Amino acid sequence: AQRVTQPEKLLSVFKGAPVELKCNYSYSGSPELFWYVQYSRQRLQLLLRHISRESIKGFTADLNKGETSFHLKKPFAQEEDSAMYYCALSTGGFKTIFGAGTRLFVKA
Amino acid sequence: SAVISQKPSRDICQRGTSLTIQCQVDSQVTMMFWYRQQPGQSLTLIATANQGSEATYESGFVIDKFPISRPNLTFSTLTVSNMSPEDSSIYLCSARGEANTEAFFGQGTRLTVV
């Protein structure tokens, strides 16, 4: 079965601290993985995708096929990073399955 | 990129009635989807809206309850039929241009059934 697991519903860190939002997936095919973010009062938007291997707003995520993980990391959290983060898996090219989401709260 | 407009943005409806949500994309897209996001929950895919043919529904969702139309490449509607309080949720329209590319989202329709 296709599944995306985000074990933490809420993650609270201090400004300047490192952040890691965990994501594990289950998919028998070749996965396309994404991180989406939803800031307060804004629509859901793409943060980054594994195939791009880029850093967006200081965030990076590496696909580990052995551990079936796609954890999102940032070395120094900022207050404006506070948001809801969703890990997502694209299957068959078009359909997207979302994890439960992790709310990141960065304290001053 | 694509900009997606949904309307209404919110509504309060009586149980037993139906509501149709409209989704307009500002460019032609290959795929359109409808999601539900219940309070405190993640996004659950309801169906894929297919242009010119019947939508493809996910397990647990049926056409009689959630009829979907997609008359062209830029527009789709989702109807929530015979509503009950359990249908209270945010309904999201999403679109993608090509396989494995970014998905774009509407701002959502917040539905409350009383």
Side-chain angles (χ1 to χ4, degrees):
Chain A
Q2 303 146 4
R3 183 188 296 269
V4 177
T5 303
Q6 292 180 251
E8 303 137 330
K9 294 193 83 169
L10 173 66
L11 187 61
S12 182
V13 301
F14 282 101
K15 176 182 171 182
V19 172
E20 183 179 46
L21 284 74
K22 291 183 167 43
C23 172
N24 287 89
Y25 67 91
S26 173
Y27 181 53
S28 58
S30 182
E32 288 287 337
L33 286 150
F34 304 79
W35 277 97
Y36 286 85
V37 60
Q38 188 166 27
Y39 300 104
S40 180
R41 301 183 190 281
Q42 295 187 27
R43 65 185 65 196
L44 196 60
Q45 60 187 284
L46 178 70
L47 179 62
L48 55 79
R49 48 189 298 215
H50 91 270
I51 200 168
S52 307
R53 303 183 68 80
E54 58 192 344
S55 173
I56 304 293
K57 299 184 178 182
F59 285 97
T60 59
D62 291 318
L63 176 61
N64 186 322
K65 291 188 177 181
E67 296 183 357
T68 59
S69 68
F70 188 57
H71 303 327
L72 183 68
K73 300 177 184 178
K74 184 169 182 176
F76 308 104
Q78 299 172 306
E79 289 181 74
E80 54 265 33
D81 295 328
S82 295
M84 194 74 181
Y85 292 81
Y86 293 95
C87 184
L89 167 69
S90 179
T91 67
F94 285 101
K95 198 161 69 171
T96 304
I97 296 170
F98 288 84
T102 298
R103 181 166 296 282
L104 175 63
F105 181 57
V106 182
K107 298 175 284 190
Chain B
S1 65
V3 177
I4 300 177
S5 301
Q6 264 183 257
K7 54 181 184 180
S9 58
R10 60 178 62 225
D11 207 342
I12 300 173
C13 301
Q14 296 287 329
R15 67 178 68 199
T17 62
S18 298
L19 175 72
T20 295
I21 303 168
Q22 297 181 4
C23 176
Q24 178 74 56
V25 188
D26 70 343
S27 58
Q28 293 189 349
V29 290
T30 304
M31 306 294 280
M32 293 182 74
F33 306 90
W34 287 97
Y35 287 86
R36 181 172 72 184
Q37 186 174 26
Q38 294 181 303
Q41 308 276 329
S42 183
L43 286 76
T44 301
L45 181 64
I46 297 172
T48 302
N50 300 310
Q51 192 240 335
S53 65
E54 190 172 291
T56 304
Y57 289 84
E58 297 299 305
S59 176
F61 297 96
V62 294
I63 188 170
D64 290 346
K65 176 66 176 177
F66 298 101
I68 288 171
S69 78
R70 189 179 174 194
N72 57 51
L73 288 174
T74 64
F75 185 78
S76 178
T77 66
L78 168 74
T79 299
V80 186
S81 303
N82 188 25
M83 288 183 285
S84 67
E86 292 72 38
D87 295 320
S88 297
S89 187
I90 296 174
Y91 291 86
L92 287 159
C93 175
S94 175
R96 297 180 85 167
E98 298 176 8
N100 295 325
T101 58
E102 174 182 359
F104 297 94
F105 290 86
Q107 79 276 22
T109 296
R110 184 180 293 274
L111 170 63
T112 302
V113 183
V114 297

